[in-house]
Amino acid sequence: MASQTPIKSSTSVDLEKKISEIQHPSHAGPPAEIDDNTKRWLVVGICLHRVLAAALRKYVEPVITNLYNSLKLSDQIDKQTYTGHLKVYGAVNFYLNYKPINNNKMPPGNRAPNYDYKVQNAVDLSKLFLETSMAHYKGFDESCDSSALLGIIVNTDKFPANVQIAAKDVRQEIRNRWTHCDFTEWNSDMYNWSLQKIEDFIYLLQLNKPEESQAIRDLNKWKTNGINYLGDTTLGLELVNDIRREITSIMEVEMIICKSADREFSTVYTKLTEIGNRLNKHDKRISSLENVSRNK
């Protein structure tokens, strides 16, 4: 029998189209302005998704890997069945969620007695500490976003208490507020406070020096880009392209969430698409200005 092409949902097709439009811009129509609050929101989002998430992956993976190896010995978590599976973990008796692993959320196995409870690796173990809709990632890679990583830290008591408290604060006060897309909140004070909070959190992780230095360099890059982006001068084409790449990266992660969790577009999708399209309309004007400058 000939293999069939997988059917894509209209939501996934729509998102892929939006990403393609950002990657391959059209220059029709006049460029629209982006207000400063929206710019601040975007830069903070880039720092969350590009800088902080990268640092958190390096921090989370070895801790969860060690926990997985320990639980294989103590609880045979890689061999367990429904009748003897580990239900809760840690001093606070965190209730483990087995629905995100082993296709347990799909019928006919989408009832607890029918779940496959064998935890096959550290990535799957990390998903037990999250809501099903957050456990969309395939590894500790770019598919594992800041929301999931912060949730893993907050819910797993193998992480130091001070790091858990800081992670909860960053999640609640920055990451969750960012997803609400209320641009009126993102004034200069909130913007500066958020970037400083992210920097403090990176230092608190106590990564090895090369990893810490790289994270701080990346953060400082976007602090500088933010100053240039918020300035009144014309954006350089290189910076516009950097911003567009980051928008595309965030949206690609959201595509994975959409496909895995079967959710409709969030408000974040819409706002990122609008910003990306506005940036695209600046390209032709920027290129013309830079050509004029070089020819003087």
Side-chain angles (χ1 to χ4, degrees), residues 23-60:
Q23 291 173 323
H24 308 288
S26 167
H27 300 296
E33 295 302 323
I34 302 172
D35 66 74
D36 283 354
N37 281 8
T38 304
K39 292 177 181 179
R40 295 186 189 102
W41 173 85
L42 177 58
V43 172
V44 170
I46 291 171
C47 291
L48 285 171
H49 286 80
R50 172 62 64 186
V51 182
L52 181 59
L56 291 178
R57 289 182 203 114
K58 293 180 175 68
Y59 178 71
V60 165

Side-chain angles (χ1 to χ4, degrees), residues 51-122:
V51 182
L52 181 59
L56 291 178
R57 289 182 203 114
K58 293 180 175 68
Y59 178 71
V60 165
E61 183 172 8
V63 176
I64 296 298
T65 299
N66 288 339
L67 176 58
Y68 176 66
N69 291 333
S70 174
L71 290 175
K72 281 201 298 182
L73 294 174
S74 63
D75 294 87
Q76 289 76 52
I77 199 167
D78 57 327
K79 301 175 182 177
Q80 63 186 0
T81 62
Y82 173 65
T83 55
H85 71 280
L86 185 66
K87 295 181 176 65
V88 296
Y89 176 78
V92 297
N93 288 327
F94 185 87
Y95 188 81
L96 300 174
N97 176 23
Y98 287 88
K99 192 172 183 178
I101 68 169
N102 300 330
N103 290 319
N104 287 335
K105 64 181 178 180
M106 304 297 292
N110 59 343
R111 294 178 63 252
N114 298 328
Y115 285 174
D116 179 353
Y117 286 91
K118 299 180 185 68
V119 183
Q120 301 176 35
N121 51 60

Side-chain angles (χ1 to χ4, degrees), residues 126-251:
S126 71
K127 296 179 181 182
L128 306 189
F129 293 92
L130 299 173
E131 296 177 9
T132 304
S133 62
M134 294 173 61
H136 52 80
Y137 49 93
K138 303 298 183 183
F140 294 117
D141 53 22
E142 290 195 356
S143 67
C144 189
D145 68 354
S146 59
S147 178
L149 291 158
L150 291 167
I152 293 167
I153 293 172
V154 169
N155 295 331
T156 312
D157 67 4
K158 281 296 180 181
F159 296 97
N162 61 335
V163 175
Q164 287 186 299
I165 292 169
K168 187 174 183 179
D169 195 28
V170 169
R171 182 177 66 174
Q172 181 174 328
E173 297 299 330
I174 304 176
R175 202 277 171 189
N176 288 353
R177 290 176 73 171
W178 185 83
T179 59
H180 294 158
C181 302
D182 182 357
F183 299 143
T184 62
E185 292 188 341
W186 293 95
N187 56 33
S188 179
D189 288 342
M190 180 62 186
Y191 173 75
N192 291 326
W193 179 85
S194 297
L195 295 182
Q196 186 60 55
K197 198 81 171 176
I198 291 172
E199 180 176 338
D200 293 343
F201 189 36
I202 290 171
Y203 281 122
L204 188 63
L205 300 177
Q206 296 185 332
L207 300 169
N208 65 47
K209 283 302 177 184
E211 291 173 345
E212 181 182 274
S213 297
Q214 182 63 56
I216 297 301
R217 278 197 302 272
D218 291 343
L219 183 62
N220 286 335
K221 169 190 172 181
W222 281 103
K223 284 183 179 180
T224 301
N225 284 348
I227 292 171
N228 294 333
Y229 190 24
L230 288 162
D232 293 330
T233 57
T234 301
L235 286 178
L237 187 58
E238 182 178 354
L239 177 53
V240 172
N241 286 335
D242 276 350
I243 293 171
R244 183 187 298 110
R245 279 193 295 270
E246 297 305 331
I247 291 173
T248 301
S249 177
I250 296 171
M251 291 182 72

